[in-house]
Amino acid sequence: MPLVEASVEVPVDIATAFAVSQTTGDVRKRWDPFIRRQRFLDGATEPAKGVRTLTVHRAGFRMVSEYVSYQPPTNVGMRMVEGSWFFAKMGGGWRFTPVEGHPDRTLAVWRYNFGCRPSWLAPLADRIGTVVLRREIRRRIAHYARGCSDPVVLAAARGAAPSES
């Protein structure tokens, strides 16, 4: 199964870095270019292992995913349970580790694995998917890094109202 990975060092502590990654609604859209819409399903109001979410990509693709791990502030993992016709399977994990000697900095590493369908086309589709998904994840993590410097995003992640400038 193809694997793509991207990483970035952000100028916030690990708890804040994790919290930024889990923002929702308009705050999430300030930094996440991937989504048009995202919401929790089945009455859930916050992330946790087993919680399902609906994500609509900016191009309109829909995916229902499930948290397979949720361990603040170090990692979160998901798997697709319903998705676009071209993904046979997809999963991802985001890991956060403090930068040694710099407690106010965090290394974020995002990994995704996937498989395409139909199976007869998968060898070619997986190669194309790797190129496209790698570009997408690099773009997304770069925007995440910008979100880790955005006062509105940081205030929401820390559970406070943004201060007046």
Side-chain angles (χ1 to χ4, degrees), residues 17-83:
F18 185 89
V20 167
S21 80
Q22 298 303 299
T23 53
T24 59
D26 289 338
V27 172
R28 177 64 171 254
K29 289 200 260 184
R30 285 182 68 92
W31 69 261
D32 193 346
F34 183 82
I35 67 167
R36 178 187 300 168
R37 216 170 39 251
Q38 188 174 48
R39 66 181 172 88
F40 295 112
L41 298 175
D42 310 317
T45 58
E46 60 186 34
K49 185 176 180 180
V51 167
R52 296 177 342 130
T53 62
L54 169 67
T55 301
V56 179
H57 181 270
R58 69 180 181 277
F61 302 116
R62 300 168 59 87
M63 176 175 66
V64 174
S65 58
E66 176 184 4
Y67 284 91
V68 294
S69 72
Y70 185 78
Q71 299 175 327
T74 58
N75 69 75
V76 61
M78 57 73 68
R79 72 178 179 93
M80 179 185 76
V81 293
E82 296 173 27

Side-chain angles (χ1 to χ4, degrees), residues 5 10 17 24-25 27 34 39 42 44 47 49 59 64 70 72 84 89 92 100 109 114 127 130 132 136 138 151:
E5 178 180 306
V10 294
T24 59
V27 172
F34 183 82
R39 66 181 172 88
D42 310 317
K49 185 176 180 180
V64 174
Y70 185 78
S84 297
K89 51 180 106 171
E100 190 172 333
V109 178
F114 66 95
R127 286 195 296 269
T130 297
V132 171
E136 186 79 18
R138 286 179 178 164

